[in-house]
Amino acid sequence: LSLRWLHASVSANLGVVILGDAEVMAEYQRPSVLFAGVQLGIQLSRRFTLFGGVQGSTPYYDTDVGAIGDNTVQLSLGGNYRMDSGWDLRFGIVEDGISRVMPDFALHFEVSRSMGRASAEAER
């Protein structure tokens, strides 16, 4: 969803992960995991976009052992810097302060480049 008047966009995802045969704790593994999330991006300049979001999933294991049977919820905050060459540098921090399954935080860094028409226009 594009909110052009705010220079912002909202996106959402919903899906299912079908799990294969487990080698560890196979008797507790669930056959599938549901996940969903919503993200907001605000374009602060021609090159820089600030983004934030929330993502969650159901447990991978059906157990009360430790934290591996908990739902997960992660909060993310970061940015995307687009270079004139068409390359994007994306960075962020992901925090999982709600559940005990994931690490307390994770750092994200990504380098990508659009292919096709968008990258050809960026090179001009």
Side-chain angles (χ1 to χ4, degrees):
L1 173 64
S2 177
L3 306 171
R4 290 187 180 153
W5 54 279
L6 283 176
H7 299 284
S9 63
V10 176
S11 61
N13 61 63
L14 175 66
V16 177
V17 177
I18 306 298
L19 301 173
D21 296 330
E23 294 181 20
V24 177
M25 295 180 46
E27 63 274 12
Y28 297 105
Q29 181 180 302
R30 293 178 178 229
S32 61
V33 175
L34 301 174
F35 65 89
V38 63
Q39 300 80 32
L40 171 66
I42 299 174
Q43 189 171 359
L44 299 179
S45 71
R46 184 176 74 78
R47 294 179 181 252
F48 186 73
T49 302
L50 180 67
F51 64 86
V54 61
Q55 179 88 16
S57 72
T58 59
Y60 282 70
Y61 296 97
D62 190 14
T63 181
D64 292 330
V65 176
I68 63 174
D70 289 348
N71 294 314
T72 66
V73 177
Q74 300 94 35
L75 305 173
S76 61
L77 180 65
N80 189 82
Y81 181 78
R82 169 148 298 173
M83 300 189 307
D84 283 336
S85 63
W87 287 93
D88 285 348
L89 304 176
R90 189 173 183 116
F91 52 90
I93 185 166
V94 181
E95 171 67 32
D96 184 20
I98 297 171
S99 66
R100 301 171 296 156
V101 178
M102 304 294 285
D104 286 340
F105 74 95
L107 300 176
H108 175 85
F109 182 72
E110 174 184 336
V111 178
S112 63
R113 186 160 195 250
S114 299
M115 296 179 66
R117 184 176 179 177
S119 66
E121 289 176 4
E123 289 179 359
R124 285 188 228 164

